Amino acid sequence: EGVSKAYAKRRTQISASSEAEGLSTMQKAQNRLKNTVGSAFQAYFSDVEQAPPDAIFGIKNMYSKDKDPNKINLSVGAYRDDNGKPYMLDVVKKAEELLVKDSSRNKEYLGIDGHPEFRKLSAQLIFGKDSKVLGEGRVCTAQCLSGTGSLRVGFEFLAQFFPRKTVVYTSKPTWGNQNTVAGKAGFKTASYRYWDSKTRGLDFKGMLNDLEKAPKGSIILLHACAHNPTGVDPTLEQWKAIASVIRERNHFPFFDSAYQGFATGDLEGDAQAIRYFVAQGFQMVVAQSYAKNFGLYGERAGCVHIVCPSAKSASALSSHVKRIIRPMYSNPPKHGAEIVALVLRTPELFKRWREEIKIMSGRIIQMRKTLRDELVRLGTPGTWDHITSQIGMFSFTGLSRPQCELLINKHHVYLLYNGRISMAGLNSGNIKRFAAAVNAVCKALPNSK
């Protein structure tokens, strides 16, 4: 019994000692890991400098920090009502009410290429219900993350099949993210002339000349309507001439459609360039967004469409698009797609949506007229007819960078440094103050470049 007690006591001592040694060893290992990880992070990231802010969101942040009660934000491309408030479409509210009451819904994952009905109806909206290519099954469609996501998937797709030397041509100027997205897919970018600063309109001859000189087989990125940032669109006859050059040079058209219906209130008219190219037999990629025309900015609803030579190739290419999406974001969000699909398939909701996009586009058209009239009344130096000849959310004012800087720093009016303003940011309560500020900077810096 004495031996047993001594043995048990010794076992307890050994166990305690081993546990203490184990904890000591573990602590040492953790300290070594901590020091290693710490030094690694310090070595890799300690000298990283602050990245430059996004041009648009950087100005938005400046606006947020401004304490002036009369400040005006014309930088971000999001619709506002005449009270300057975000606008949620009535038809979207109604669709959400109906969706909430639908007990058959669930929150399961969508497929890699998204909501089937949403894809089908989106293709019909952009190409037309009676489109020949849809009837022949020659369009491959995938739901993507709004316009930017659709551009990204589209360029990643093209990067798999085009030679790496292929250049993507974008308009000068263009929405800055287009060049960035094309570059992320491995493409080099170049520009074709678009804005004529003297006429404050389309440099049509310059555009055609640059497309003719671009290497054969280039990718040409085109704005389907309501060009961002200029608000200047080609006429249908000009689109026909552009298509002729693209065909002659064997270029590949890529349309960015972010404003269908929102540009003019006419869904069919805003899609006329895309439908003309399709009717002429072009293969193409189309990026489609519902941020503006449905007000679904945060829902990230959109599609990429690829017009293919046959139904067989459309099926094959769909498999490649899925292989791009799967490791990128796996599958798209569901809620926005359900809203759009419900509205597009329900006649009374679709009718109400068409009415609301006319209301939104109509308010912007009225703001254009009011702004031009007020600038003329004030005797503001320069010509301002381009304010009303441009269409869509944005206006390329023609203001110089120094004039824009003066608007921001002295008048608390926030716009992009290239002179682009969001017409949706103007309303009956601030438009005269904005016009007075523009008048002041144009007189203070009349010859500014």
Side-chain angles (χ1 to χ4, degrees):
E1 184 179 348
V3 172
S4 297
K5 288 181 179 180
Y7 178 73
K9 183 178 180 181
R10 179 60 179 160
R11 284 286 300 270
T12 300
Q13 291 172 340
I14 292 173
S15 177
S17 176
S18 298
E19 184 175 350
E21 288 178 4
L23 288 172
S24 177
T25 301
M26 183 180 295
Q27 188 63 51
K28 289 178 180 178
Q30 288 175 339
N31 288 338
R32 284 196 301 272
L33 179 61
K34 182 179 179 180
N35 291 336
T36 300
V37 171
S39 63
F41 270 74
Q42 185 175 9
Y44 282 114
F45 304 120
S46 62
D47 296 327
V48 175
E49 297 181 357
Q50 186 79 20
D54 178 86
I56 297 174
F57 286 96
I59 292 175
K60 181 184 177 184
N61 289 337
M62 291 169 59
Y63 169 83
S64 299
K65 295 175 182 178
D66 191 336
K67 302 301 182 182
D68 189 279
N70 295 314
K71 62 186 179 179
I72 301 173
N73 184 12
L74 305 179
S75 62
V76 179
Y79 183 78
R80 297 291 182 263
D81 64 19
D82 198 50
N83 296 311
K85 302 296 183 183
Y87 178 63
M88 187 172 179
L89 275 67
D90 290 339
V91 74
V92 170
K93 294 178 184 178
K94 180 61 177 177
E96 288 191 319
E97 290 174 4
L98 294 172
L99 289 171
V100 168
K101 295 176 182 177
D102 185 356
S103 60
S104 67
R105 292 173 65 241
N106 59 58
K107 294 296 182 180
E108 294 291 311
Y109 290 122
L110 289 175
I112 296 172
D113 57 354
H115 192 292
E117 186 179 30
F118 170 76
R119 291 188 284 113
K120 176 183 176 181
L121 294 171
S122 294
Q124 290 178 353
L125 185 70
I126 200 75
F127 296 112
K129 285 187 177 181
D130 299 326
S131 171
K132 183 179 179 181
V133 291
L134 293 181
E136 295 173 348
R138 295 199 288 116
V139 178
C140 160
T141 297
Q143 181 187 340
C144 297
L145 308 183
S146 199
T148 302
S150 300
L151 285 168
R152 183 61 188 271
V153 171
F155 277 123
E156 291 289 350
F157 166 80
L158 294 177
Q160 293 189 3
F161 300 101
F162 276 69
R164 298 311 268 177
K165 66 179 181 180
T166 304
V167 178
V168 173
Y169 280 79
T170 61
S171 63
K172 185 178 182 180
T174 193
W175 179 51
N177 219 19
Q178 289 177 337
N179 288 320
T180 303
V181 172
K184 290 291 184 181
F187 287 108
K188 292 182 179 180
T189 59
S191 61
Y192 55 84
R193 281 171 284 178
Y194 195 86
W195 169 255
D196 187 331
S197 59
K198 293 180 180 179
T199 65
R200 297 186 178 181
L202 177 64
D203 184 358
F204 183 56
K205 290 183 179 179
M207 180 183 183
L208 290 184
N209 186 258
D210 288 346
L211 294 181
E212 288 170 349
K213 291 182 178 179
K216 283 189 174 183
S218 297
I219 297 170
I220 310 299
L221 188 58
L222 302 161
H223 297 232
C225 65
H227 182 273
N228 181 3
T230 69
V232 175
D233 286 354
T235 65
L236 181 57
E237 291 306 311
Q238 289 172 330
W239 275 121
K240 291 178 179 179
I242 292 166
S244 179
V245 173
I246 289 177
R247 181 185 298 282
E248 179 184 332
R249 298 294 295 166
N250 197 32
H251 295 324
F252 187 89
F254 190 147
F255 278 96
D256 185 359
S257 179
Y259 301 96
Q260 185 184 2
F262 188 91
T264 64
D266 181 357
L267 288 168
E268 285 69 36
D270 290 347
Q272 67 175 357
I274 290 173
R275 294 181 185 181
Y276 177 78
F277 272 68
V278 170
Q280 297 306 303
F282 281 94
Q283 289 181 235
M284 68 181 74
V285 173
V286 178
Q288 179 184 28
S289 167
Y290 289 102
K292 305 298 192 298
N293 56 13
F294 264 84
L296 296 176
Y297 303 98
E299 299 293 352
R300 313 311 293 149
C303 283
V304 65
H305 308 276
I306 304 166
V307 179
C308 309
S310 67
K312 181 179 179 181
S313 67
S315 177
L317 293 178
S318 177
S319 67
H320 287 274
V321 172
K322 291 176 185 178
R323 287 176 65 87
I324 292 168
I325 292 172
R326 177 59 172 157
M328 187 183 290
Y329 56 86
S330 191
N331 57 344
K334 197 172 192 178
H335 188 65
E338 289 182 321
I339 292 171
V340 174
L342 179 57
V343 172
L344 294 185
R345 75 166 182 260
T346 309
E348 58 268 28
L349 294 181
F350 183 72
K351 179 176 180 291
R352 177 55 184 160
W353 176 55
R354 296 188 74 141
E355 292 170 351
E356 288 198 87
I357 56 178
K358 286 183 179 180
I359 291 171
M360 291 189 291
S361 62
R363 195 187 82 77
I364 289 177
I365 291 170
Q366 181 57 48
M367 287 299 101
R368 288 185 180 278
K369 183 179 185 301
T370 303
L371 176 58
R372 184 205 56 189
D373 291 350
E374 185 65 11
L375 290 170
V376 171
R377 187 188 71 81
L378 292 170
T380 307
T383 58
W384 301 100
D385 287 345
H386 61 285
I387 298 293
T388 50
S389 64
Q390 297 169 0
I391 66 169
M393 179 171 284
F394 302 109
S395 177
F396 215 47
T397 60
L399 295 170
S400 67
R401 183 178 179 111
Q403 289 171 334
C404 293
E405 290 173 346
L406 189 58
L407 279 171
I408 293 171
N409 297 328
K410 183 176 180 179
H411 298 276
H412 306 276
V413 174
Y414 291 84
L415 70 169
L416 300 196
Y417 292 119
N418 63 6
R420 190 200 84 169
I421 63 171
S422 172
M423 293 301 302
L426 293 175
N427 55 65
S428 57
N430 66 17
I431 195 164
K432 286 190 175 182
R433 197 173 79 77
F434 172 66
V438 171
N439 180 59
V441 301
C442 287
K443 289 179 178 178
L445 300 170
N447 299 313
S448 177
K449 299 293 183 182

